[in-house]
Amino acid sequence: MKNYFSLNRGWLRASWLLPLAFCGALNCNAASKKIVVGFSQIGAESGWRTANTESIKSEAAKRGIELKFSDAQQKQENQIKALRSFVAQGVDVIAFSPVVVTGWEPVLREIKKAGIPVILSDRAVDVTDDSLYVTFIGSDFVEEGRRAANWLAKARSGKAVIAELVGTPGSAPAIDRKKGFEEILAKNPGMKIVKSQSGDFTRAKGKEVMETFLKSPEAKEINALFAHNDDMALGAIQAMEEAGVKPGKDILIVSIDGVRGAFEAMAAGKLNCTVECNPLIGPQLFDAAEAIMAKKKLPKRTAVQEGVYEMSQAAAELPKRQY
Ligand code: AHR
């Protein structure tokens, strides 16, 4: 990994040197210098994302970190603009949750040249040079896909005709969840996906796409739904009810995230299983930012601990959900 603490423009900024000079006279120390973090968020497409944003903002405030937060409204070009503006503002650390996996190399090179360390939050990027970021903090999306398929294989005794609501095309969770799910399907020849389309991780799109699935020639045989996130599953539940199909019974539903709305749907008997994807990574994110500032070495990847919840556990779990 490139040593970000070598002499470069980022570390020679006046914002660092001035407090040090004053502190010498006033007997304070450099640790009291406010860390400035630029964070580019994808948007507000799901309940998960809202909880993630809240975790990041509240943790920064708790630690006295100055957070420059930018919402990209689901557009990569907006994220790239935000990253460049963080460089221009001379922040100490840049963190971001990349909307898609590809297309980051040029801007990451610019950031590296400016000597600013990068933390990837929640989603990974596809780059040939992994020195372009210091660390990646996020879930194992492939494993989440495996967990969803394993649950379904058990619930349907290895036989299922599946409709799939895919996440944002080209995003790490959409690619990896599909990969993990299909890995388990390959071991269960009685399970097949007959419909698959993106619902862009939103409730509205999930509903819209499920409506088209329910009007398709395959509609009658579909007995399971795999939604890459809870919001799309919640939209699909609405579509099923409007079409006279009983969600959770006629069609078993497994989705990913573990948001409160999914637990409510499970408690109401409409959703069968949610695989947890924890959005509350603000504390880990700023632990990493502080470690970088303290010149500590970090692992290239930090995973998040997560569980799997079924309908039968929903009522007991619901009061404990934090998001
Ligand atoms: O990257 C995490 C995914 O992004 C969540 O599963 C989804 O709800 C969000 O939009």
Side-chain angles (χ1 to χ4, degrees):
M1 187 178 76
K2 157 106 168 83
N3 180 8
Y4 279 94
F5 307 102
S6 57
L7 287 181
N8 59 42
R9 286 198 292 124
W11 289 91
L12 285 174
R13 279 190 297 276
S15 62
W16 264 95
L17 295 175
L18 281 176
L20 286 172
F22 284 122
C23 280
L26 299 173
N27 200 21
C28 53
N29 68 48
S32 62
K33 193 257 174 196
K34 223 179 194 193
I35 299 173
V36 182
V37 177
F39 188 90
S40 166
Q41 180 61 288
I42 292 171
E45 73 281 5
S46 60
W48 189 99
R49 188 66 53 200
T50 307
N52 180 245
T53 293
E54 171 51 29
S55 170
I56 290 162
K57 286 186 173 172
S58 61
E59 191 63 26
K62 201 161 112 190
R63 295 183 188 214
I65 287 174
E66 185 181 335
L67 181 67
K68 293 186 184 295
F69 185 89
S70 173
D71 178 334
Q73 302 185 343
Q74 312 271 112
K75 292 198 173 78
Q76 184 177 33
E77 70 220 54
N78 291 347
Q79 288 204 285
I80 292 173
K81 264 187 220 153
L83 299 182
R84 290 199 170 119
S85 110
F86 296 149
V87 172
Q89 292 173 70
V91 302
D92 298 311
V93 176
I94 289 178
F96 75 113
S97 195
V99 61
V100 290
V101 290
T102 54
W104 300 103
E105 205 131 348
V107 71
L108 287 176
R109 289 203 183 285
E110 290 169 34
I111 298 172
K112 183 173 175 178
K113 210 168 154 208
I116 302 175
V118 170
I119 302 172
L120 298 177
S121 170
D122 158 42
R123 297 184 183 181
V125 292
D126 196 356
V127 286
T128 49
D129 172 6
D130 77 356
S131 78
L132 293 174
Y133 63 90
V134 180
T135 187
F136 164 50
I137 301 163
S139 305
D140 183 341
F141 297 136
V142 178
E143 181 54 25
E144 289 171 352
R146 284 190 202 114
R147 287 178 181 171
N150 277 324
W151 178 86
L152 191 59
K154 204 168 158 214
R156 280 254 170 248
S157 309
K159 288 192 194 84
V161 181
I162 307 161
E164 179 187 29
L165 284 170
V166 180
T168 302
S171 69
I175 296 167
D176 290 351
R177 286 172 184 167
K178 188 170 183 59
K179 185 173 166 205
F181 193 84
E182 288 181 348
E183 198 181 285
I184 303 302
L185 256 52
K187 297 179 193 153
N188 288 273
M191 292 170 71
K192 56 174 180 181
I193 296 174
V194 292
K195 298 300 285 180
S196 179
Q197 200 178 313
S198 171
D200 210 12
F201 282 131
T202 70
R203 193 180 289 217
K205 256 315 207 43
K207 178 171 186 274
E208 193 184 304
V209 175
M210 192 69 217
E211 281 165 357
T212 67
F213 287 170
L214 292 172
K215 286 179 193 145
S216 70
E218 296 85 358
K220 286 229 152 44
E221 22 157 10
I222 293 171
N223 58 22
L225 172 70
F226 168 42
H228 286 199
N229 81 343
D230 290 340
D231 277 68
M232 292 190 293
L234 295 172
I237 288 173
Q238 242 182 300
M240 287 180 206
E241 288 181 321
E242 285 171 19
V245 173
K246 288 196 191 78
K249 292 184 184 68
D250 298 337
I251 297 180
L252 294 195
I253 307 173
V254 56
S255 59
I256 297 177
D257 274 357
V259 298
R260 186 179 297 280
F263 278 82
E264 286 164 356
M266 286 200 292
K270 297 176 182 185
L271 190 141
N272 304 86
C273 176
T274 184
V275 175
E276 191 176 41
C277 176
N278 186 359
L280 308 179
I281 55 179
Q284 282 172 289
L285 177 67
F286 293 111
D287 278 351
E290 287 175 349
I292 288 171
M293 297 309 286
K295 304 181 189 184
K296 290 184 187 152
K297 195 157 169 47
L298 287 170
K300 204 72 195 167
R301 189 184 187 334
T302 304
V304 183
Q305 291 302 311
E306 292 151 341
V308 175
Y309 297 92
E310 296 188 324
M311 209 183 245
S312 57
Q313 299 165 282
E317 270 302 313
L318 198 46
K320 296 184 237 161
R321 290 315 285 173
Q322 285 178 271
Y323 62 97

